[in-house]
Amino acid sequence: MKILRSASDAPAYHCELEKALVSAHPPGEDVLLLYINRPSVIVGRNQRIDAEVDVAYCRRHGIETVRRLSGGGAVYHDYGNINYAFIVDRDATPVLEMDFASPVLAALRACGIEATAGARRDLRVGDRKISGTASFVTAGRILFHGTLLHRTDLTRLARALQGDSSKRGKQIASTPDAVMNLSEIAGVEPSTERFLCRLLDFFTAYYRTPGST
């Protein structure tokens, strides 16, 4: 597994980077990409933007809106949110049976956070969500990516994701859920950048350990 940490904060760039990595032909090295975006809303490929996003609010506050490759619901990113993306070669294992949660849960555990995987492949602490996920599959590659709410502005998150549901039609709806920041947990690193560095250190060691994948 090759581990990449992007120095960019541009959401459109990261969407294109994920697309390029999953579209690699012939299939290439497995990658774990970590990055932080500036304030933005990332909508699923099958969503109507104005049904999920308060476009006027986002425009007033300089919050970009970008459509990603994968499906699922709209998510809010800012400098308090860490994004991870696994891009791996596809094998005979059914996609829904592939376990991308375990490495992230192990990394969180190493930081003193006991999280669990939810029914929709999200990650939770207690009854609140800390990570939403989505995936995209080609004939040869799989993209599985998610968020980690560390110190996100939850007020702006809620406001930015208040679209006009009357415009949705038959497009995919986002699923509202109670969320929390990891920085609320006692003992968790308060700086998002430093928390990301701890995750990087963990993943570097994890994927060098014999038997890990």
Side-chain angles (χ1 to χ4, degrees):
M1 180 75 71
K2 183 175 184 179
I3 301 172
L4 301 177
R5 159 61 161 115
S6 173
S8 175
D9 68 352
Y13 168 77
H14 290 130
C15 285
E16 287 301 314
L17 178 57
E18 289 178 346
K19 182 178 179 180
L21 290 169
V22 79
S23 301
H25 184 77
E29 186 174 23
D30 290 349
V31 173
L32 170 56
L33 172 67
L34 295 142
Y35 60 91
I36 294 175
N37 279 332
R38 58 181 174 252
S40 51
V41 175
I42 316 299
V43 298
R45 64 180 298 165
N46 299 312
Q47 292 192 297
R48 177 164 173 160
I49 290 174
D50 55 0
E52 310 302 326
V53 182
D54 188 328
V55 177
Y57 175 86
C58 289
R59 188 179 297 118
R60 287 197 306 273
H61 292 275
I63 300 170
E64 300 175 51
T65 302
V66 180
R67 189 180 297 280
R68 66 176 183 268
L69 187 62
S70 62
V75 291
Y76 175 79
H77 292 177
D78 64 12
Y79 291 113
N81 178 80
I82 296 168
N83 302 283
Y84 59 91
F86 292 92
I87 302 98
V88 302
D89 286 348
R90 189 174 179 183
D91 59 21
T93 306
V95 174
L96 292 178
E97 294 181 12
M98 297 188 74
D99 182 10
F100 294 104
S102 289
V104 182
L105 292 174
L108 293 174
R109 194 174 303 115
C111 295
I113 301 163
E114 291 298 327
T116 58
R120 295 195 300 271
R121 308 184 86 186
D122 53 347
L123 303 182
R124 311 182 75 84
V125 171
D127 61 355
R128 291 192 288 172
K129 185 165 72 173
I130 58 165
S131 173
T133 66
S135 60
F136 179 79
V137 180
T138 70
R141 298 275 273 176
I142 296 169
L143 163 66
F144 183 89
H145 54 184
T147 61
L148 277 174
L149 295 169
H150 178 264
R151 205 176 185 84
T152 293
D153 186 331
L154 298 182
T155 299
R156 283 202 170 188
L157 178 153
R159 190 67 180 81
L161 297 179
Q162 287 182 6
D164 183 352
S165 60
S166 69
K167 298 180 178 179
R168 183 172 295 127
K170 295 182 179 180
Q171 301 298 95
I172 299 296
S174 299
T175 305
D177 206 342
V179 298
M180 68 173 288
N181 278 315
L182 294 172
S183 60
E184 296 177 33
I185 300 172
V188 171
E189 173 61 58
S191 162
T192 301
E193 189 61 42
R194 289 179 64 181
F195 185 75
L196 174 54
C197 288
R198 289 191 66 184
L199 295 179
L200 280 167
D201 289 344
F202 175 87
F203 286 126
T204 298
Y206 181 90
Y207 285 108
R208 285 178 180 167
T209 302
S212 64
T213 57

